[in-house]
Amino acid sequence: MSEISVRLPTVLRPQANGQSSVNVTGSTVGEVVDGLVADYPDLESNLLDDGGAVRKFINIYLNDEDIRFLEKLETPVVQGDEVAILPAVAGG
Amino acid sequence: MLSLSRQSWLEILAEAWKVYPLEACGLLMAESARSGQSSSGQTGLDKPIKVFRPIHNAAQSSRIFQLDPMEYMKAERAADDAGLEVVGVMHSHTHTAAYPSPTDVAEATKPLVPPTWHWAIVSLAWGYPELRSFRVAEGQGDWSTRSGIAEERVWLNG
């Protein structure tokens, strides 16, 4: 288990006591997300659907790489890594 | 009220032209309140825009926009480093008026889009750029229509 820095955009900070970055332990991106939601339960409904899967409009990055192009939630993380979580912003 | 400098205003219009015929998009940043409550929208709604940051339209469309997520992330980081925070989003309409489309309303009222965000829209439909700004959220708008759309004044502050 490594301590991972999770960077939160402005829109997610109200659910994390206003913090721009928090530390969570885990050995995969999925564990980091689980740990984040455990520490900040208000984030859960924003990040996860009713079945516990990450919502479609949420993008997760590990060190600036989209985890969809890595091993998704199974992507391993090590000390010093940075995870970033961002909603998709779109319009017409 | 969307308060911005002439410089930012020009940058916004220029970006719309530059990306035409595709839709342009970008983020509006204001000074961060650093209180942790700034994005909850209780106060400081009309903080002047300090920086307009163009963002690549990942949809590459003349009808829709999607902020390139990676650029969005980098913009968040740059904002943090500069003591700024994202307070709104800009995009252009290439064929229609500078007014929120049904798609805009649907996207703006999604859970993670703050109801306090400025929705600045540039129309290029009439041959000259027109910038208007809105708050788009549940409960916004005229009491008789409850459209979710409330236009706000665009104020050039210098």
Side-chain angles (χ1 to χ4, degrees):
Chain A
M1 298 284 267
S2 312
E3 194 168 65
I4 305 300
S5 164
V6 180
R7 177 170 281 270
L8 300 170
T10 315
V11 297
L12 286 174
R13 292 176 197 168
Q15 292 92 39
N17 303 334
Q19 298 172 95
S20 58
S21 160
V22 299
N23 289 324
V24 179
T25 55
S27 53
T28 63
V29 172
E31 287 178 18
V32 169
V33 171
D34 290 343
L36 177 70
V37 167
D39 288 351
Y40 303 96
D42 291 348
L43 284 172
E44 183 165 352
S45 63
N46 285 321
L47 301 184
L48 307 179
D49 66 21
D50 294 340
V54 175
R55 290 186 185 280
K56 258 188 223 144
F57 57 83
I58 296 291
N59 298 304
I60 303 178
Y61 294 87
L62 174 63
N63 302 328
D64 291 4
E65 284 206 68
D66 191 330
I67 63 161
R68 291 186 190 97
F69 303 121
L70 300 170
E71 295 168 55
K72 306 196 169 91
L73 292 172
E74 303 303 314
T75 308
V77 292
V78 296
Q79 197 84 28
D81 281 348
E82 186 185 75
V83 169
I85 299 178
L86 285 164
V89 177
Chain B
M1 180 176 78
L2 179 70
S3 172
L4 75 177
S5 65
R6 277 178 177 72
Q7 175 74 24
S8 293
W9 181 69
L10 284 170
E11 286 171 6
I12 289 168
L13 300 185
E15 179 67 11
W17 273 128
K18 189 176 138 198
V19 177
Y20 185 88
L22 302 180
E23 282 197 14
C25 52
L27 291 168
L28 306 172
M29 298 175 181
E31 237 164 60
S32 168
R34 286 275 173 232
S35 66
Q37 289 159 12
S38 52
S39 50
S40 66
Q42 298 307 306
T43 55
L45 286 183
D46 296 327
K47 280 185 292 186
I49 303 306
K50 293 287 183 198
V51 171
F52 164 66
R53 185 165 171 129
I55 302 282
H56 177 69
N57 178 1
Q60 287 291 286
S61 163
S62 62
R63 302 278 173 188
I64 59 168
F65 78 94
Q66 186 176 16
L67 295 187
D68 181 286
M70 188 70 77
E71 286 194 20
Y72 175 22
M73 186 174 71
K74 287 177 178 161
E76 281 279 348
R77 190 172 297 157
D80 277 343
D81 291 346
L84 303 173
E85 64 182 359
V86 175
V87 294
V89 61
M90 161 274 180
H91 73 286
S92 63
H93 284 175
T94 58
H95 299 87
T96 55
Y99 194 82
S101 66
T103 307
D104 291 333
V105 176
E107 292 289 338
T109 50
K110 273 188 176 172
L112 281 177
V113 181
T116 55
W117 264 18
H118 302 278
W119 278 71
I121 303 177
V122 177
S123 171
L124 297 174
W126 324 124
Y128 58 89
E130 181 190 26
L131 171 66
R132 293 165 70 183
S133 189
F134 305 84
R135 288 265 159 56
V136 187
E138 294 274 337
Q140 287 281 15
D142 190 87
W143 63 272
S144 63
T145 59
R146 294 197 179 88
S147 61
I149 299 168
E151 184 155 13
E152 60 181 359
R153 200 166 155 204
V154 176
W155 177 260
L156 297 187
N157 62 26

